[in-house]
C-alpha cells in the first residue's frame, strides 16, 4: 500500500514540476519579447532594476528605447595612461574619459558609469567582447582624467574624425581645480535620420561609432563653474566641404568614401574680435593646465614668475615699446624680462629627418622652420638638463610631415597622426616628463593648415603655436598661441624690401591680389574686382604690363591692405602688410591674430566681418584720417615683433613666439 501511494505521489510531483517549469518559461518568454530590457534574469531576480540612462536621450531623438544588453555590450576598463592614451585639454576640466572604438558595438550606459568619483587614469576601450565578461552589473567605477577638448569631448582621433558629436555644455560642471566627480554619462544609441537603429557592423578601418549621434553628456559635480566661452566653443563644429583640410580628409572606409552623403553641419557662430577679447580675459580664471603627477622645482619657479607678472610695476615710458599696442604693457614687459632671465627649454633629440629636426626656411610655412632653427641654436634658452626645463619643445615640421607622408588624393591624414603618436610613444617611454604633466608643459610650433586637426587630440594638452588659429577648429584661449604666417622669399635676406611709403604718399585706398582659394576671395572679387572702382585695387592674378606696379609696390603704396582668408583663416598677407607698413584689413571670421594674448590688434588693424564685404569701401572711408594715421603709426611700431633676423634680436618674432608659449604656460600653471 505504501508503495502504491509513493508511486502516485511521485507521478503527481513530476506533473507539478513540469507545470511549474512551463509556466516560468512562458513568463520569461513574454518578458523577453515585451519588455525593453533584454537581461530578463536580472529583472526577475533583482530587486533593484538598473536604470538605463540612454532611454531619455533616445526618446528625445524620437527612436525606440534600446535594451540594456545592446547598450552595455563591449566595454572594457583599462588602467593605462601612457603616451598612446594621451589625455586632451579643456579649459576647466582635468578629468578625462577616452572612448576607443575597435569592435562592432560601442554604446555606453549609466550601468557602466554609475556614481563614479575621481580616481586614477581609467579609460574606456571598446572591443569585441561582451561587457558581462568584464563589468559586473551596478558596479561603481572610478573615473579620472575626464577628457574635454574644445571641439567636443576627447574621443580617440579615429572615432571623432568620422563623426559629428553634439554636446550640451550647460550640463557640464567642474570645480576650479579640475577635480570633478562623474555622476552619469548618457549616450544615445546610434540612430539614422528616421529614428531607427543603425547597423552596428563596421570594418576595422572605419570607426565604431556611427555618424549623426546626438550625445547628451551630464556630469554632476560639486560646482557649476563653467564659463560662457566654453559653451560657445564647444558648440562650434567645423564646416564640411573644405578642400584638403583635416575636416574632410576622411578614410576611404568612411560613409563619404562609400558614396553616402554626410549631413552638412551648420556653420559655427561668428566670434568677433571684441568677443575674442572677452574670451581671453575669461581664460585667466577659467583655464587651468593639468596638475603634474609629481612636484618639481620648476613648478615653484613658474608660480613665482606668475606672481611677479601679476604684480608688475607700472611702466610709464619705455623707448622700445609703444604702449597703445599692448593689452597691458607692464605685464608684457615684466613677463618678457623674466623669460629672458629664467626660461629653459629642453629639445628632444629623438626622431629622424626630414620630419623632425629639419627646418624649412623658405615659403609660406617658414615660421615653423625659422623658429626651429633659432631655438635649437639658442644657448640662452636651451638646456641639456631636462630636469631644469620649464618647457619641452617637440621639434617636428608640419610642412615636412605633410610632404613626406601624405598620400596624394587619399583624403586621409591618419598616417600623419599615427606618425606623431609614435613619436609621443617614443619620448613617453624614454622620459618621464611627458607623463608628469600629460604634455601640458610641452609645446609645438606648426604652420601647415592641417596642424590643428593632426594635433588637437594626441597633443591636446600641449601648448600649440599654430598659424591656422581658428576658434572653430579648437583653438583654446589661454593655452594655444597664434603663430604669424610669414612668407620668406630669400632666407639669406629675410628683411629684403622692408618698409613702405609714408602715409601722405599712399594713393591707393585698398589693395588685394591673390589666388581664388576658398569661398571668400571670389566674393571679394565679385564685389570689388576688375577695376570697378579705382580706389579699390582688388585682383585675382595681378595683371602684368609695362609700367604697372608689381605686388610689393602696391603694398607699399596702399593705405589699407586686404588680408582675406583662403582655404583657412590664416594668410601671410597679415604679416606682409605690417612688413610693408600698410594697415591690415583682416577679413576672416573666427581668426585669432598672432600674439593675441599681449597685442591690442584693434590699435593698428581693421577687422571686417565676411558678411560686410559689400560695404568694404564705405567701412574704410568712414575711418577718420586721424585714426588712420594712428593705426599706421601702430603698424610701424609693431613691425619689430614680426621680423626674422639672421641672429635673433630682442622683441623680434622669434622671441615673441617663444614668449607666447611662455606666457600661456606661466599664467595658467597649476602646481601640485
Amino acid at each position: 500500500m505504501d508503495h502504491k501511494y509513493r508511486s502516485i505521489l511521485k507521478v503527481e510531483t513530476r506533473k507539478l514540476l513540469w507545470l511549474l517549469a512551463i509556466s516560468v518559461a512562458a513568463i520569461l518568454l513574454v518578458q523577453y519579447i515585451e519588455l525593453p530590457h533584454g537581461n530578463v534574469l536580472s529583472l526577475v531576480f533583482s530587486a533593484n532594476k538598473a536604470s538605463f540612462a540612454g532611454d531619455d536621450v533616445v526618446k528625445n531623438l524620437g527612436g525606440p528605447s534600446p535594451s540594456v544588453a545592446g547598450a552595455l555590450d563591449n566595454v572594457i576598463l583599462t588602467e593605462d595612461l601612457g603616451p598612446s592614451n594621451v589625455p586632451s585639454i579643456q579649459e576647466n576640466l582635468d578629468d578625462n574619459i577616452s572612448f576607443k572604438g575597435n569592435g562592432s558595438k560601442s554604446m555606453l550606459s549609466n550601468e557602466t558609469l554609475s556614481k563614479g568619483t575621481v580616481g586614477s587614469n581609467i579609460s574606456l576601450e571598446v572591443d569585441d567582447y561582451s561587457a558581462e565578461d568584464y563589468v559586473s552589473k551596478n558596479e561603481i567605477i572610478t573615473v579620472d582624467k575626464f577628457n574635454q577638448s574644445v571641439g567636443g569631448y576627447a574621443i580617440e582621433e579615429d572615432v571623432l574624425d568620422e563623426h559629428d558629436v553634439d554636446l550640451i555644455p550647460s550640463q557640464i560642471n567642474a570645480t576650479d581645480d579640475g577635480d570633478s566627480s562623474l555622476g552619469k554619462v548618457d549616450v544615445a544609441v546610434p540612430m539614422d535620420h528616421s529614428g531607427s537603429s543603425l547597423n552596428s557592423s563596421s570594418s576595422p578601418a572605419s570607426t565604431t561609432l556611427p555618424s549623426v549621434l546626438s550625445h547628451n553628456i551630464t556630469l554632476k559635480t560639486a560646482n557649476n563653474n563653467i564659463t560662457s566661452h566654453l559653451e560657445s566653443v564647444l558648440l562650434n563644429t567645423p564646416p564640411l566641404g573644405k578642400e584638403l583640410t583635416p575636416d574632410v580628409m576622411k578614410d576611404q572606409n568612411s560613409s563619404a568614401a562609400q558614396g553616402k552623403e554626410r549631413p552638412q553641419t551648420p556653420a559655427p557662430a561668428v566670434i568677433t574680435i571684441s568677443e575674442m577679447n572677452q574670451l581671453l580675459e575669461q581664460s585667466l580664471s577659467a583655464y587651468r593646465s593639468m596638475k603634474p603627477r609629481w612636484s618639481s622645482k620648476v613648478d615653484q619657479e613658474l608660480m613665482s614668475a606668475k606672481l611677479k607678472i601679476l604684480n608688475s610695476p607700472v611702466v610709464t615710458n619705455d623707448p622700445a615699446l609703444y604702449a597703445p599696442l599692448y593689452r597691458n604693457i607692464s605685464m608684457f614687459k615684466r613677463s618678457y624680462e623674466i623669460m629672458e632671465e629664467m626660461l629653459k627649454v629642453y629639445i628632444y633629440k629623438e626622431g629622424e629627418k626630414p620630419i623632425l629636426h629639419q627646418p624649412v626656411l623658405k615659403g609660406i610655412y617658414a615660421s615653423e622652420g625659422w623658429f626651429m632653427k633659432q631655438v635649437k641654436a639658442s644657448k640662452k634658452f636651451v638646456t641639456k638638463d631636462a630636469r631644469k626645463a620649464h618647457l619641452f619643445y617637440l621639434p617636428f615640421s608640419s610642412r615636412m610631415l605633410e610632404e613626406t607622408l601624405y598620400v596624394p588624393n587619399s583624403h586621409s591624414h591618419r598616417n600623419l597622426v599615427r606618425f606623431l603618436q609614435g613619436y609621443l610613444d617614443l619620448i613617453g617611454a624614454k622620459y618621464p616628463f611627458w607623463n608628469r604633466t600629460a604634455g601640458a608643459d610641452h609645446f609645438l610650433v606648426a604652420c601647415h593648415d592641417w596642424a590643428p586637426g593632426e594635433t588637437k587630440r594626441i597633443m591636446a594638452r600641449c601648448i600649440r603655436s599654430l598659424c591656422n588659429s581658428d576658434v572653430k577648429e579648437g583653438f583654446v584661449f589661454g593655452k594655444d598661441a597664434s603663430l604669424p604666417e610669414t612668407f620668406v622669399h630669400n632666407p639669406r635676406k629675410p628683411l629684403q624690401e622692408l618698409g613702405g611709403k609714408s602715409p601722405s604718399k599712399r594713393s591707393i585706398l585698398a589693395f588685394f591680389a591673390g589666388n581664388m582659394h576658398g569661398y571668400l576671395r571670389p566674393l571679394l572679387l565679385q564685389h570689388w574686382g576688375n577695376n570697378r572702382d579705382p580706389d579699390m585695387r582688388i585682383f585675382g592674378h595681378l595683371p602684368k604690363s609695362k609700367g604697372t606696379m608689381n605686388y610689393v609696390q602696391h603694398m607699399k603704396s596702399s593705405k589699407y591692405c586686404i588680408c582675406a582668408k583662403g582655404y583657412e583663416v590664416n594668410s601671410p598677407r597679415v604679416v606682409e602688410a605690417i612688413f610693408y607698413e600698410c594697415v591690415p584689413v583682416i577679413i576672416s571670421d573666427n581668426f585669432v591674430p598672432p600674439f593675441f594674448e599681449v597685442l591690442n590688434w584693434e590699435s593698428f588693424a581693421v577687422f571686417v566681418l565676411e558678411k560686410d564685404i559689400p560695404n568694404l569701401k564705405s567701412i574704410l572711408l568712414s575711418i577718420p584720417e586721424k585714426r588712420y594715421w594712428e593705426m599706421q603709426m601702430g603698424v610701424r611700431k609693431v613691425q619689430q615683433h614680426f621680423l626674422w633676423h639672421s641672429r635673433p634680436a630682442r622683441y623680434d618674432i622669434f622671441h615673441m613666439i617663444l614668449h607666447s608659449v611662455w606666457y600661456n604656460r606661466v599664467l595658467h600653471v597649476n602646481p601640485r
Side-chain angles (χ1 to χ4, degrees):
M1 192 71 177
D2 291 340
H3 177 72
K4 180 179 179 181
Y5 281 120
R6 281 198 298 270
S7 299
I8 294 173
L9 183 61
K10 188 180 295 184
V11 171
E12 293 301 323
T13 302
R14 289 176 180 173
K15 288 181 180 180
L16 287 173
L17 290 174
W18 275 106
L19 182 61
L20 180 62
I22 293 171
S23 300
V24 171
I27 292 171
L28 293 178
L29 179 62
V30 170
Q31 287 186 342
Y32 183 85
I33 295 173
E34 295 296 328
L35 293 181
H37 300 281
N39 196 333
V40 183
L41 292 177
S42 67
L43 296 176
V44 174
F45 297 110
S46 175
N48 298 317
K49 185 174 73 173
S51 62
F52 179 62
D55 287 348
D56 293 337
V57 180
V58 175
K59 289 175 184 176
N60 293 335
L61 290 173
S65 298
S67 68
V68 170
L72 190 57
D73 277 352
N74 310 330
V75 178
I76 304 173
L77 297 183
T78 61
E79 189 77 36
D80 177 39
L81 186 62
S84 61
N85 186 19
V86 180
S88 67
I89 195 70
Q90 186 46 284
E91 304 172 288
N92 254 16
L93 303 178
D94 287 325
D95 299 328
N96 162 33
I97 290 179
S98 126
F99 298 80
K100 185 175 180 181
N102 293 324
S104 59
K105 305 174 187 176
S106 59
M107 290 292 94
L108 307 178
S109 81
N110 195 34
E111 197 153 336
T112 52
L113 294 175
S114 173
K115 298 181 181 179
T117 56
V118 176
S120 60
N121 312 334
I122 295 184
S123 64
L124 296 174
E125 181 176 347
V126 180
D127 207 342
D128 284 323
Y129 302 92
S130 66
E132 286 79 6
D133 294 337
Y134 300 92
V135 184
S136 62
K137 298 197 178 301
N138 301 320
E139 179 181 356
I140 295 178
I141 298 173
T142 304
V143 178
D144 187 21
K145 307 302 169 203
F146 186 80
N147 236 352
Q148 185 182 12
S149 65
V150 171
Y153 274 22
I155 298 173
E156 289 285 337
E157 183 268 339
D158 282 351
V159 176
L160 273 190
D161 267 4
E162 298 287 336
H163 305 292
D164 301 322
V165 178
D166 297 325
L167 300 173
I168 311 300
S170 61
Q171 296 177 331
I172 304 170
N173 304 321
T175 56
D176 288 334
D177 61 358
D179 294 330
S180 62
S181 299
L182 181 61
K184 67 175 181 177
V185 177
D186 297 346
V187 185
V189 166
M191 310 294 292
D192 63 16
H193 294 297
S194 65
S196 303
S197 298
L198 293 170
N199 192 335
S200 62
S201 61
S202 63
S203 63
S206 65
T207 62
T208 309
L209 293 176
S211 60
V212 203
L213 292 179
S214 178
H215 293 224
N216 286 349
I217 298 184
T218 304
L219 303 180
K220 293 185 177 179
T221 61
N223 197 319
N224 287 335
N225 180 28
I226 211 72
T227 57
S228 60
H229 76 285
L230 177 59
E231 295 190 15
S232 65
V233 174
L234 276 173
L235 288 175
N236 286 341
T237 51
L240 303 176
K242 288 187 178 181
E243 181 174 337
L244 291 181
T245 64
D247 299 299
V248 297
M249 293 191 301
K250 307 300 182 185
D251 189 81
Q252 294 299 318
N253 290 310
S254 68
S255 60
Q258 296 172 7
K260 299 176 183 178
E261 183 178 354
R262 295 183 66 210
Q264 292 295 310
T265 305
V270 174
I271 299 179
T272 65
I273 190 69
S274 60
E275 291 170 336
M276 289 184 191
N277 292 332
Q278 296 173 6
L279 300 183
L280 181 65
E281 291 177 8
Q282 292 173 8
S283 72
L284 290 175
S285 58
Y287 173 73
R288 290 288 181 273
S289 64
M290 175 185 167
K291 287 185 178 181
R293 290 188 170 85
W294 60 87
S295 61
S296 171
K297 180 183 177 181
V298 296
D299 298 331
Q300 300 308 314
E301 292 173 349
L302 290 174
M303 281 302 299
S304 175
K306 178 179 179 178
L307 292 175
K308 291 178 182 178
I309 294 170
L310 293 177
N311 296 281
S312 303
V314 177
V315 175
T316 56
N317 185 23
D318 190 306
L321 302 174
Y322 183 54
L325 298 178
Y326 306 97
R327 297 179 179 278
N328 187 319
I329 187 174
S330 302
M331 286 182 62
F332 168 66
K333 179 178 171 62
R334 188 70 181 116
S335 174
Y336 190 95
E337 291 171 346
I338 296 173
M339 178 189 77
E340 289 183 313
E341 297 168 2
M342 178 190 295
L343 177 61
K344 294 301 176 186
V345 178
Y346 183 79
I347 304 175
Y348 288 107
K349 305 298 189 295
E350 287 69 25
E352 298 181 357
K353 298 179 179 180
I355 297 175
L356 292 120
H357 305 290
Q358 180 168 309
V360 178
L361 304 178
K362 185 177 181 179
I364 62 174
Y365 304 117
S367 290
E368 66 179 26
W370 276 78
F371 179 84
M372 183 190 296
K373 175 179 180 291
Q374 294 191 342
V375 74
K376 287 169 74 73
S378 174
K379 296 180 180 179
K380 182 175 187 177
F381 294 112
V382 174
T383 178
K384 294 182 179 180
D385 186 350
R387 294 169 298 179
K388 297 179 180 179
H390 305 95
L391 291 167
F392 295 80
Y393 175 47
L394 303 171
F396 74 93
S397 166
S398 63
R399 175 69 182 94
M400 294 308 299
L401 178 69
E402 178 268 339
E403 188 173 287
T404 305
L405 296 182
Y406 177 66
V407 179
N409 301 318
S410 68
H411 305 295
S412 173
H413 65 160
R414 295 188 176 215
N415 58 324
L416 284 68
V417 175
R418 290 190 186 107
F419 177 89
L420 294 177
Q421 181 66 75
Y423 178 66
L424 296 181
D425 291 344
L426 174 65
I427 63 174
K430 188 171 182 178
Y431 303 95
F433 309 109
W434 174 274
N435 294 326
R436 189 180 86 91
T437 62
D441 53 0
H442 288 56
F443 74 98
L444 60 98
V445 177
C447 201
H448 196 276
D449 291 351
W450 300 352
E454 293 163 352
T455 62
K456 66 183 176 182
R457 288 178 178 81
I458 62 172
M459 299 181 183
R461 286 196 186 273
C462 296
I463 302 169
R464 303 181 304 159
S465 182
L466 302 167
C467 286
N468 187 5
S469 51
D470 188 344
V471 174
K472 72 181 187 301
E473 297 286 353
F475 184 92
V476 181
F477 290 95
K479 178 183 76 71
D480 295 332
S482 179
L483 175 67
E485 183 174 1
T486 56
F487 193 164
V488 177
H489 298 272
N490 186 349
R492 294 185 178 182
K493 298 179 180 179
L495 302 181
Q496 191 173 18
E497 298 192 277
L498 177 66
K501 295 181 180 180
S502 64
S504 61
K505 295 181 180 179
R506 291 178 177 261
S507 57
I508 303 171
L509 177 64
F511 167 70
F512 173 85
N515 293 323
M516 292 295 102
H517 294 160
Y519 63 86
L520 185 70
R521 294 181 185 179
L523 290 176
L524 182 66
L525 198 66
Q526 175 186 337
H527 285 283
W528 300 107
N530 302 319
N531 291 317
R532 288 191 180 134
D533 190 319
D535 292 331
M536 305 288 287
R537 301 285 183 88
I538 309 297
F539 306 98
H541 289 288
L542 192 63
K544 294 182 180 180
S545 60
K546 189 175 181 180
T548 60
M549 293 191 298
N550 62 23
Y551 182 87
V552 172
Q553 290 170 332
H554 271 92
M555 297 281 280
K556 289 174 176 283
S557 304
S558 299
K559 295 176 67 174
Y560 299 100
C561 290
I562 308 301
C563 308
K565 66 177 290 185
Y567 292 125
E568 303 294 345
V569 294
N570 51 301
S571 168
R573 285 165 184 78
V574 176
V575 176
E576 284 180 336
I578 296 171
F579 193 88
Y580 299 120
E581 299 174 358
C582 179
V583 175
V585 178
I586 299 174
I587 311 178
S588 180
D589 292 350
N590 300 318
F591 171 58
V592 183
F595 311 138
F596 187 68
E597 64 284 339
V598 295
L599 292 182
N600 174 22
W601 272 82
E602 291 171 287
S603 68
F604 59 90
V606 179
F607 291 83
V608 176
L609 296 176
E610 295 174 10
K611 67 180 181 63
D612 291 331
I613 283 179
N615 305 318
L616 180 57
K617 183 177 180 180
S618 61
I619 291 172
L620 297 180
L621 290 176
S622 68
I623 299 173
E625 192 68 13
K626 180 182 178 182
R627 175 62 180 151
Y628 164 72
W629 280 68
E630 290 173 349
M631 288 192 293
Q632 211 275 339
M633 166 74 79
V635 168
R636 285 187 279 120
K637 294 292 188 179
V638 83
Q639 188 185 71
Q640 65 170 329
H641 297 321
F642 293 89
L643 302 180
W644 288 111
H645 299 273
S646 298
R647 293 185 177 179
R650 200 165 194 240
Y651 295 124
D652 70 352
I653 189 171
F654 165 72
H655 287 95
M656 289 297 288
I657 294 171
L658 191 59
H659 178 267
S660 288
V661 177
W662 153 263
Y663 194 75
N664 284 349
R665 176 59 180 156
V666 169
L667 288 193
H668 300 94
V669 66
N670 196 11
R672 191 169 183 82

